Amino acid sequence: MLTLGNYEVHQPSPPPAQFSSSTVSSEISGDLLFRPLGDRKGMGRRSKVRKLGEGPETYPQPFVSDPKLEDPNQGRGRSVYLAVCRRDWSASQPYCPLYKVDVVSSGESSPRGGKTRVAKLRTDVGGKTFVPLQSRWIVGVGGDPGGTIIYDTNKRRVIRGPQLVAAKQRPAVAAVGYRVYALSSSPNYIADPDFVPWFEILDLKDAVITEKVDGSLSLDGCSWKRLPSPLCFPGKLTPMGYINPPLISVRSYVVVGHYILVSLNPPTSGTYAFDTEEHEWHKVNKEHLPFVGSATPHGHSGCIFLGLSRENGPVSAYCIRVSASSSPSSSVSTEAELSHKGGALKLSFNVLSVKSKGHEEVDAMSGHYLTSLDLEHFSTLTFELDNRKHNKIYDDTVRKLVPGKLFAKLITYQIENPEILEEVLNEEMPEVAISSQLDQHFKISSDFGFSNPPITFSLSIYK
């Protein structure tokens, strides 16, 4: 509800979750397609997507078979997934290809073209934010209209989820257990996208996967629900404030334990914490988080993260802790208190620089994605369009030549001293040393060219 002077504006109740009926087909290496087996309706119908070596899937089936049996760290290696945005406005059913790149270890040679197209995402990928869930699923949220799409990396299938209550363009998205949270990155006070509610939750624990008549998969038994907005998002506006509303945007965010920490622009707005157990916001009475964008978890401790100290800036490591008691701090540690039932919580973070043997920083560049692999490795993905004239294609919609290829490079860094990441609260703060790096090069072609940005995300998942 927004209050305008003496008037109250009530947001109408959200409509029931809508599910798209567009066909979603998955493919794996070698262009092997799985198609519907028969055209029978109802429960128990064969699925068009199944895992190699297994029998046909039957639906409906639970999204989470048994939460206690799920192992988020199963497998030995990691794969990096990335989605490519194509310029295919003229296509009747546009899609964005999803690629998988197996990360090469230090003992292997560096291959070229080591990518596999695993799925077609028929959705507005460019307006979505993607996060890994339980190191198995890739969940995309946002766009206009604000839909949800899920890729199951184990069973190689695409599942459509429910619509957001309010559309959100590139929201801040976080996963805690089997719950997905979406916060408007820049709240709008007039209309969608990014109108109220600004903060929503989707609980997938009891969701059920069903198969539609056209063979596509969707989620039932779950829907997005509104949550209280951050304390700094105004719930009431005067008529003058409605004409000239405050400009607020999310600067950085991270999940630490069961808290979602959010810093805003301008940086003087400080940091807020959302308790996912109590569903309450708390104000942190100190400065903003020391990185921009979303920090990626590193290792299994739950308090070590990698992030960028500034836009397109160097990679740094961070130890972030939220606790009910004071913890040791150093000259580069900042602590703040926030109100909590029965006492005060302490938020502390330490910053470690990441440098090569030549003491050079690991810099980010435009078109740069950072992802953690394990405690000893992390990777960056960079890309650039091929602007050579002989590799361009003619686009009738804009009547000009556009790039039809892009070159991508996945760089895997090996950390020489990973043990210091477990001892970052000592008074002496050593550097995180990079002992080696391994480059993997590949190219991606599109008959329609590419949208901006050409690659919308890069996430690592256990194989």
Side-chain angles (χ1 to χ4, degrees):
M1 179 185 73
L2 296 177
T3 302
L4 308 179
N6 296 323
Y7 298 91
E8 293 182 347
V9 180
H10 293 266
Q11 176 75 354
S13 300
Q18 301 294 320
F19 300 95
S20 172
S21 60
S22 60
T23 302
V24 179
S25 61
S26 296
E27 63 185 85
I28 62 173
S29 180
D31 295 327
L32 177 62
L33 296 178
F34 294 112
R35 304 185 184 279
L37 301 177
D39 193 27
R40 293 172 293 172
K41 298 182 180 180
M43 295 174 56
R45 189 160 65 93
R46 292 175 183 263
S47 166
K48 71 171 182 176
V49 183
R50 67 177 183 268
K51 196 173 181 180
L52 287 176
E54 294 185 356
E57 296 280 356
T58 58
Y59 297 95
Q61 60 180 239
F63 179 77
V64 180
S65 56
D66 187 344
K68 296 181 180 179
L69 298 179
E70 295 286 351
D71 181 6
N73 300 319
Q74 59 184 327
R76 295 183 177 180
R78 284 263 191 175
S79 296
V80 172
Y81 289 80
L82 56 101
V84 176
C85 298
R86 310 188 316 162
R87 292 168 58 98
D88 53 357
W89 301 319
S90 61
S92 59
Q93 286 188 324
Y95 70 90
C96 294
L98 178 68
Y99 290 94
K100 171 187 174 183
V101 180
D102 290 333
V103 178
V104 177
S105 64
S106 57
E108 301 178 58
S109 60
S110 176
R112 282 186 173 270
K115 69 182 190 304
T116 302
R117 192 169 72 174
V118 294
K120 295 178 180 179
L121 304 180
R122 300 187 186 277
T123 185
D124 172 26
V125 171
K128 284 181 167 54
T129 302
F130 290 80
V131 294
L133 179 71
Q134 296 293 311
S135 201
R136 169 178 172 176
W137 296 278
I138 297 173
V139 182
V141 180
D144 191 8
T148 308
I149 195 163
I150 300 173
Y151 179 69
D152 186 340
T153 62
N154 280 9
K155 296 190 175 182
R156 301 168 183 168
R157 58 186 180 181
V158 177
I159 308 167
R160 285 196 175 271
Q163 297 285 103
L164 288 159
V165 178
K168 294 172 175 58
Q169 197 71 10
R170 293 184 177 276
V173 179
V176 181
Y178 289 97
R179 294 177 177 178
V180 182
Y181 297 82
L183 173 67
S184 293
S185 57
S186 183
N188 191 310
Y189 307 93
I190 301 175
D192 278 340
D194 293 300
F195 191 51
V196 292
W198 292 310
F199 192 35
E200 303 182 37
I201 180 177
L202 176 66
D203 193 341
L204 297 171
K205 184 169 60 69
D206 297 321
V208 176
I209 304 173
T210 60
E211 187 175 18
K212 301 177 77 68
V213 175
D214 62 4
S216 62
L217 303 179
S218 63
L219 281 182
D220 286 338
C222 65
S223 62
W224 286 96
K225 301 183 184 301
R226 61 187 67 203
L227 287 173
S229 299
L231 302 177
C232 61
F233 284 22
K236 296 181 179 181
L237 289 177
T238 64
M240 184 59 66
Y242 195 81
I243 295 173
N244 188 23
L247 298 178
I248 298 174
S249 62
V250 174
R251 181 182 187 272
S252 53
Y253 62 98
V254 66
V255 176
V256 182
H258 59 87
Y259 293 95
I260 302 175
L261 305 179
V262 179
S263 288
L264 305 171
N265 276 325
T268 53
S269 300
T271 301
Y272 295 78
F274 180 74
D275 187 335
T276 60
E277 293 182 351
E278 301 292 338
H279 282 193
E280 293 180 350
W281 283 98
H282 306 274
K283 172 67 184 292
V284 178
N285 298 318
K286 286 291 182 178
E287 299 178 355
H288 56 76
L289 294 168
F291 53 86
V292 296
S294 175
T296 179
H298 188 70
H300 306 298
S301 66
C303 62
I304 304 297
F305 303 87
L306 297 177
L308 304 182
S309 58
R310 62 179 183 274
E311 195 74 27
N312 298 327
V315 177
S316 296
Y318 304 91
C319 176
I320 306 175
R321 297 181 186 272
V322 180
S323 61
S325 60
S326 300
S327 57
S329 62
S330 68
S331 58
V332 295
S333 174
T334 301
E335 292 193 355
E337 293 186 2
L338 57 152
S339 61
H340 186 66
K341 293 181 178 180
L345 284 176
K346 291 287 186 179
L347 167 66
S348 66
F349 50 82
N350 299 78
V351 185
L352 290 83
S353 59
V354 179
K355 295 186 178 181
S356 65
K357 285 187 175 180
H359 297 284
E360 296 179 352
E361 294 179 325
V362 178
D363 283 326
M365 296 173 283
S366 179
H368 169 105
Y369 291 98
L370 170 68
T371 184
S372 172
L373 302 175
D374 52 47
L375 187 62
E376 298 181 5
H377 301 86
F378 68 92
S379 67
T380 60
L381 177 71
T382 59
F383 56 87
E384 62 178 347
L385 294 172
D386 185 356
N387 285 306
R388 293 176 294 181
K389 187 174 182 180
H390 66 277
N391 280 332
K392 288 188 174 183
I393 57 177
Y394 186 76
D395 189 335
D396 291 331
T397 58
V398 294
R399 297 183 179 180
K400 67 177 182 180
L401 293 172
V402 296
K405 290 183 180 180
L406 68 81
F407 299 104
K409 180 169 67 172
L410 182 70
I411 307 176
T412 301
Y413 296 91
Q414 181 168 351
I415 299 175
E416 186 178 53
N417 53 346
E419 66 280 355
I420 71 167
L421 295 174
E422 305 293 343
E423 304 171 355
V424 294
L425 292 181
N426 293 336
E427 290 188 5
E428 183 180 354
M429 300 296 295
E431 298 175 351
V432 177
I434 302 299
S435 60
S436 63
Q437 72 178 59
L438 187 62
D439 299 351
Q440 292 176 255
H441 299 264
F442 51 92
K443 63 182 179 181
I444 299 174
S445 301
S446 171
D447 294 335
F448 300 95
F450 302 92
S451 297
N452 187 28
I455 296 179
T456 187
F457 73 88
S458 172
L459 297 173
S460 62
I461 297 289
Y462 277 100
K463 291 188 289 185

